[in-house]
PDB file of all heavy atoms in Angstrom:
ATOM      1  N   ILE C 227     -37.908   4.578  19.069  1.00 89.00           N
ATOM      2  CA  ILE C 227     -38.372   3.255  18.666  1.00 89.00           C
ATOM      3  C   ILE C 227     -39.297   2.645  19.726  1.00 89.00           C
ATOM      4  O   ILE C 227     -38.985   2.673  20.908  1.00 89.00           O
ATOM      5  CB  ILE C 227     -37.191   2.308  18.362  1.00 89.00           C
ATOM      6  CG1 ILE C 227     -37.713   0.950  17.899  1.00 89.00           C
ATOM      7  CG2 ILE C 227     -36.252   2.178  19.541  1.00 89.00           C
ATOM      8  CD1 ILE C 227     -36.654   0.051  17.299  1.00 89.00           C
ATOM      9  N   GLY C 228     -40.424   2.166  19.253  1.00 92.00           N
ATOM     10  CA  GLY C 228     -41.382   1.566  20.168  1.00 92.00           C
ATOM     11  C   GLY C 228     -42.410   2.547  20.680  1.00 92.00           C
ATOM     12  O   GLY C 228     -43.470   2.152  21.163  1.00 92.00           O
ATOM     13  N   ASN C 229     -42.111   3.825  20.555  1.00 90.00           N
ATOM     14  CA  ASN C 229     -42.920   4.852  21.207  1.00 90.00           C
ATOM     15  C   ASN C 229     -42.933   6.171  20.465  1.00 90.00           C
ATOM     16  O   ASN C 229     -42.491   7.176  20.996  1.00 90.00           O
ATOM     17  CB  ASN C 229     -42.338   5.114  22.597  1.00 90.00           C
ATOM     18  CG  ASN C 229     -43.115   4.388  23.656  1.00 90.00           C
ATOM     19  OD1 ASN C 229     -44.322   4.584  23.774  1.00 90.00           O
ATOM     20  ND2 ASN C 229     -42.421   3.557  24.398  1.00 90.00           N
ATOM     21  N   PHE C 230     -43.444   6.160  19.255  1.00 93.00           N
ATOM     22  CA  PHE C 230     -43.535   7.430  18.536  1.00 93.00           C
ATOM     23  C   PHE C 230     -44.926   8.020  18.717  1.00 93.00           C
ATOM     24  O   PHE C 230     -45.926   7.311  18.612  1.00 93.00           O
ATOM     25  CB  PHE C 230     -43.282   7.235  17.033  1.00 93.00           C
ATOM     26  CG  PHE C 230     -41.871   6.860  16.698  1.00 93.00           C
ATOM     27  CD1 PHE C 230     -41.543   5.552  16.360  1.00 93.00           C
ATOM     28  CD2 PHE C 230     -40.863   7.806  16.722  1.00 93.00           C
ATOM     29  CE1 PHE C 230     -40.243   5.193  16.050  1.00 93.00           C
ATOM     30  CE2 PHE C 230     -39.556   7.463  16.399  1.00 93.00           C
ATOM     31  CZ  PHE C 230     -39.248   6.155  16.064  1.00 93.00           C
ATOM     32  N   ASP C 231     -44.960   9.318  18.965  1.00 94.00           N
ATOM     33  CA  ASP C 231     -46.232  10.026  18.975  1.00 94.00           C
ATOM     34  C   ASP C 231     -46.306  10.818  17.687  1.00 94.00           C
ATOM     35  O   ASP C 231     -45.451  11.645  17.408  1.00 94.00           O
ATOM     36  CB  ASP C 231     -46.318  10.970  20.175  1.00 94.00           C
ATOM     37  CG  ASP C 231     -46.472  10.198  21.463  1.00 94.00           C
ATOM     38  OD1 ASP C 231     -47.424   9.402  21.534  1.00 94.00           O
ATOM     39  OD2 ASP C 231     -45.638  10.371  22.376  1.00 94.00           O
ATOM     40  N   VAL C 232     -47.361  10.547  16.914  1.00 96.00           N
ATOM     41  CA  VAL C 232     -47.468  11.154  15.599  1.00 96.00           C
ATOM     42  C   VAL C 232     -48.745  11.974  15.553  1.00 96.00           C
ATOM     43  O   VAL C 232     -49.767  11.582  16.119  1.00 96.00           O
ATOM     44  CB  VAL C 232     -47.547  10.057  14.511  1.00 96.00           C
ATOM     45  CG1 VAL C 232     -47.693  10.689  13.135  1.00 96.00           C
ATOM     46  CG2 VAL C 232     -46.327   9.164  14.572  1.00 96.00           C
ATOM     47  N   SER C 233     -48.658  13.131  14.915  1.00 96.00           N
ATOM     48  CA  SER C 233     -49.927  13.794  14.628  1.00 96.00           C
ATOM     49  C   SER C 233     -49.950  14.159  13.156  1.00 96.00           C
ATOM     50  O   SER C 233     -48.938  14.548  12.572  1.00 96.00           O
ATOM     51  CB  SER C 233     -50.147  14.991  15.556  1.00 96.00           C
ATOM     52  OG  SER C 233     -49.313  16.035  15.197  1.00 96.00           O
ATOM     53  N   ILE C 234     -51.133  13.977  12.564  1.00 97.00           N
ATOM     54  CA  ILE C 234     -51.284  14.191  11.130  1.00 97.00           C
ATOM     55  C   ILE C 234     -52.434  15.155  10.874  1.00 97.00           C
ATOM     56  O   ILE C 234     -53.312  15.330  11.726  1.00 97.00           O
ATOM     57  CB  ILE C 234     -51.530  12.866  10.367  1.00 97.00           C
ATOM     58  CG1 ILE C 234     -52.835  12.220  10.850  1.00 97.00           C
ATOM     59  CG2 ILE C 234     -50.370  11.918  10.524  1.00 97.00           C
ATOM     60  CD1 ILE C 234     -53.284  11.067   9.963  1.00 97.00           C
ATOM     61  N   ASP C 235     -52.364  15.763   9.715  1.00 96.00           N
ATOM     62  CA  ASP C 235     -53.466  16.602   9.272  1.00 96.00           C
ATOM     63  C   ASP C 235     -54.211  15.796   8.200  1.00 96.00           C
ATOM     64  O   ASP C 235     -53.703  15.586   7.109  1.00 96.00           O
ATOM     65  CB  ASP C 235     -52.911  17.905   8.690  1.00 96.00           C
ATOM     66  CG  ASP C 235     -54.017  18.818   8.186  1.00 96.00           C
ATOM     67  OD1 ASP C 235     -55.130  18.315   7.960  1.00 96.00           O
ATOM     68  OD2 ASP C 235     -53.738  20.023   8.012  1.00 96.00           O
ATOM     69  N   GLU C 236     -55.396  15.321   8.565  1.00 94.00           N
ATOM     70  CA  GLU C 236     -56.148  14.462   7.660  1.00 94.00           C
ATOM     71  C   GLU C 236     -57.327  15.245   7.123  1.00 94.00           C
ATOM     72  O   GLU C 236     -58.304  15.478   7.840  1.00 94.00           O
ATOM     73  CB  GLU C 236     -56.618  13.205   8.396  1.00 94.00           C
ATOM     74  CG  GLU C 236     -57.296  12.209   7.482  1.00 94.00           C
ATOM     75  CD  GLU C 236     -57.556  10.885   8.191  1.00 94.00           C
ATOM     76  OE1 GLU C 236     -57.243  10.767   9.390  1.00 94.00           O
ATOM     77  OE2 GLU C 236     -58.078   9.966   7.538  1.00 94.00           O
ATOM     78  N   ASP C 237     -57.189  15.700   5.923  1.00 89.00           N
ATOM     79  CA  ASP C 237     -58.272  16.444   5.293  1.00 89.00           C
ATOM     80  C   ASP C 237     -58.731  17.613   6.175  1.00 89.00           C
ATOM     81  O   ASP C 237     -59.919  17.818   6.385  1.00 89.00           O
ATOM     82  CB  ASP C 237     -59.457  15.484   5.023  1.00 89.00           C
ATOM     83  CG  ASP C 237     -60.121  15.830   3.705  1.00 89.00           C
ATOM     84  OD1 ASP C 237     -59.644  16.766   3.031  1.00 89.00           O
ATOM     85  OD2 ASP C 237     -61.114  15.168   3.358  1.00 89.00           O
ATOM     86  N   GLY C 238     -57.732  18.322   6.713  1.00 91.00           N
ATOM     87  CA  GLY C 238     -58.066  19.484   7.532  1.00 91.00           C
ATOM     88  C   GLY C 238     -58.265  19.177   9.006  1.00 91.00           C
ATOM     89  O   GLY C 238     -58.355  20.072   9.830  1.00 91.00           O
ATOM     90  N   GLN C 239     -58.347  17.892   9.364  1.00 94.00           N
ATOM     91  CA  GLN C 239     -58.552  17.502  10.760  1.00 94.00           C
ATOM     92  C   GLN C 239     -57.223  17.048  11.366  1.00 94.00           C
ATOM     93  O   GLN C 239     -56.508  16.272  10.733  1.00 94.00           O
ATOM     94  CB  GLN C 239     -59.527  16.320  10.832  1.00 94.00           C
ATOM     95  CG  GLN C 239     -60.948  16.637  10.403  1.00 94.00           C
ATOM     96  CD  GLN C 239     -61.772  17.154  11.560  1.00 94.00           C
ATOM     97  OE1 GLN C 239     -61.581  16.729  12.692  1.00 94.00           O
ATOM     98  NE2 GLN C 239     -62.673  18.103  11.279  1.00 94.00           N
ATOM     99  N   GLU C 240     -56.963  17.497  12.559  1.00 95.00           N
ATOM    100  CA  GLU C 240     -55.754  17.046  13.254  1.00 95.00           C
ATOM    101  C   GLU C 240     -56.040  15.725  13.966  1.00 95.00           C
ATOM    102  O   GLU C 240     -57.008  15.621  14.709  1.00 95.00           O
ATOM    103  CB  GLU C 240     -55.310  18.100  14.269  1.00 95.00           C
ATOM    104  CG  GLU C 240     -54.036  17.736  14.997  1.00 95.00           C
ATOM    105  CD  GLU C 240     -52.845  18.628  14.584  1.00 95.00           C
ATOM    106  OE1 GLU C 240     -52.964  19.361  13.565  1.00 95.00           O
ATOM    107  OE2 GLU C 240     -51.840  18.580  15.256  1.00 95.00           O
ATOM    108  N   THR C 241     -55.220  14.721  13.707  1.00 95.00           N
ATOM    109  CA  THR C 241     -55.395  13.416  14.357  1.00 95.00           C
ATOM    110  C   THR C 241     -54.055  12.991  14.943  1.00 95.00           C
ATOM    111  O   THR C 241     -53.019  13.252  14.346  1.00 95.00           O
ATOM    112  CB  THR C 241     -55.825  12.351  13.321  1.00 95.00           C
ATOM    113  OG1 THR C 241     -56.929  12.858  12.578  1.00 95.00           O
ATOM    114  CG2 THR C 241     -56.212  11.053  13.983  1.00 95.00           C
TER     115      THR C 241
END
Side-chain angles (χ1 to χ4, degrees):
Chain C
I227 182 168
N229 260 303
F230 292 104
D231 289 305
V232 179
S233 73
I234 62 169
D235 179 341
E236 185 171 2
D237 217 1
Q239 293 272 326
E240 182 110 347
T241 310

